[in-house]
Amino acid sequence: MPTPRLRLVRTAATLAAATLLAPAVLALPAQASPAGDSLVINEAYTNGGSAGALFTHKFVELYNPTDQPISLDGWSLQYRSATGTTAPSTTVALSGTVPAKGHFLIQGGSNGTTGAALPTPDLATSFNPAGTKGTIVLADQAGTVAGLPTGSVVTDQVAGVADVLGYGATNTFETAASGAPAANSDPKSIARTGGVDTDDNAADFTVTADVTPQNAAGGGTAPVDPVDPVDPAPAPAPSVTVAEIQGTGAASPLEGRRVSTTGVVTAVYSTGGYDGFYIQTAGTGGAEDATPGASDGVFVYAPAEVGSVTLGQTVTVTGDVAEYYGLTQVKAEAGGVRQAAEAGAPVTARELAFPLTEAEKEAHEGELLAPAGAWTVTDNYDVNQYGSLGLAPGTSPLPNPTSVALPGADAQAVAADNAQRLIVLDDGASTNFFRSPGNQNALPYIDADAPARVGSAVDFRTPVILDYRYGAWSFQPLGHLTDANKAEVQPVDIADTRPAEAVREDLGGNVTVGSFNVLNYFTTLGEDVPGCGYYADRDGAPVSTKGCLPRGAYTEEAFLEQQAKIATAINGMDTSVVALEEIENSEKFGLDRDHALAHLVDALNAQAGYAKWAYVASPTVRPALADEDVIRSAFIYQPAEVTPVGESVILDDQVNFANAREPMAQAFRVADGSAEGVEGTEFVAITNHFKSKGGSGATGDNVDTGDGQGAYNGDRTRMAQALVTFAEQMKVQAGTDRVLLMGDFNSYEKEDPIRVLEAAGYISQGAKTGEYSYTFDGAVGSLDGIYASPAADATVTGQDIWMINANETVAFEYSRDNYVGEEFYAPDQWRSSDHNPVLVGLQLDAPATPVVPTPGTRPTPPADQCALITSPRGAKASAGFSASEWMRCAGVHPGKGRGRG
């Protein structure tokens, strides 16, 4: 906690005198002025809770420069955006009293959970100004200020306006706007100097990291006791053990008490944001537990002193016991950390087998541990933003509850077990690698050649601290882990399970079929759509779209990177037919419906070096454009291996598919070089993309009941029933019982929609592989599948879920390129999407003579031009090449080199 700007020392006598001598509360003239005759905005903190924040909530602190208290009844705090020109958009009523020469703390909203709690606010509100720019108005009226102009607004200029603080690039201020915090990533406050108002925000305020909220109790002036002007030295703090501080419950029995305790330093976090260290009672640990039920380790929050302690040192700490979001700690007072008189016996890491119950974890919170047994990476989503991995004891990642148990009580039991088993492997820091200035550097635990995939085995090589932060139990290394010190500080070795060559399983048969969700493959770019938002890399360059109709890449550079990965993955699948989900419905952008699909086929053929692929055209009869989604499902195929039979069919069912993508069916035959293919080898493929589990707007049986199936389970179940009926119709139309239901069903294996398919006789091919297609929230399961009718299942020769995406960290995705100071992007198949492809081999009557395609039908640009291209980002700028030409230059093939270009 930072030290307040004005630390006023009071005795009981002076406090009593202050009470007796306090004048009556008076209502004074409202206008702030250089004369110092009314209230002013003294400090504004607009990034509470953001990454790196000191405090969890935003606040505005008022100051009363007069000699009399001022009532806030009938006053208000108002906010207008940096570009606003009408009345303020937010008005919050104020109440209470600002003491003479004192402060008043108004708590506002929050951006997250980072930081400490504010000192007790005088008024808690929902006031929520923007973090980097805007205008805050202190008004002496309850109603919103009408007619607030832009530009400079100073004393007495506008009725009702007592004070104005314009910060950042705002259009309203006093004379000139003050600076603003450097975005949400580096939360600072905007503080007035000495309470002085000169009607010039730029002159009166400074941006400072010394954030010092003060409330009325700590910011007033009391008469000085002439007999005892300074408090006597505080009484000695009682000496207690660490176990007495921890107690046997979730919170310390000594919370709020000033204590003194001694222990051996077991971990030090002088950088990274933790600002403290762990101590443990000397001689504890190992096999014997001298204090069963109570931990012998505790965190010491000591920003001013953490740099002076070392591992193994015995120290005595004096300070207040506190609970910091569930973590028991001692907040060291000034000068409260000192070398102990005698060195204590060393601490031994306690070997513990997990999982542990909540009470068992509490009993060892803050202790030095050696986690026993096998461990596995079960979650790697946050490693590229927060430097943390999710671990599970055992040799497998945690299962999604409804992948292994029926919805309801059974799935809830699995979820509870997962929660008990999951442990976060952290990096000893609160760094947000996306947003904290100076921290967009190399990440812990992963690099381009060590991907830390879900399912990777983990071996502990050093002890760790059992810690509780951000609402989760974690293992902390013994210091802030960085790329520079990982040889000494990283506590684990992580097995590299990524194969050197990405090759799918041999599926057998003479026809192969696959399903692939292609991660919003859009040829319509965000930069082409006015007003389209975007997610930016660390240099501020747009990468992917945000909140607009195109859902994929924002720029051509980003699209080329996305396309290279998608093309490499599909060519690596190398199946006869690929069902695609999440490809652009180009008709929504005024183009031919198949425009993006044709573009993808061109890219695939360019990469393959010949006309390997074709696409199934949209049918003539299809749903009205207004009834379709901006993404669609589709088929591509290899003409040398299969031949489409007849036109594709889209199920136009706007009752059951009003909020999802309509199924698309296509009949195929084994190719024999003719337009018809081989009679008797027909099969029907139907690609699907059911409604997602998102709960916005859900009603009736679509509301998430907590049974594990998420929202819109009712609609997905009805979609499955309609799909079964559609499949029966396609059997009759195509004259075959061999049907494959494929795609992203947004339903895990034990959920109602999948049980509808299985009850109709369809057999899961993905289930035969023992693998999974998706990871979410630290658990694995399959949302994607291929379900074969009995006749089709009888022809199956092999199955595979190709583990190239879901188990890879999102750091390797095109949409995270250049987010941190380490290169992860490569034009390969790894993390080309968030779903793993599902593949099946079928043995149908083979053609008499295999058809060999003729390569070399697509020319490559001259070598001297290809040499100009060093990366996908540089393709257009350096040589003006299209995506297809770049890939022909790059010569990227499945499983080949991982560098750019």
Side-chain angles (χ1 to χ4, degrees), residues 44 46-47 79-83 129-136 151 164-183 188-191 200-203 205-207:
T46 59
N47 287 305
Y79 170 76
R80 186 167 75 181
S81 71
T83 58
T132 60
K133 56 185 177 180
T135 299
I136 298 172
V164 171
L165 169 57
Y167 59 100
T170 187
N171 63 14
T172 309
F173 38 75
E174 287 184 351
T175 303
S178 169
K188 295 180 173 70
S189 75
I190 311 157
D200 185 343
N201 289 161
F205 288 88
T206 58
V207 176

Side-chain angles (χ1 to χ4, degrees), residues 208 634 650 837 896:
T208 176
I650 296 177
K896 299 298 181 183

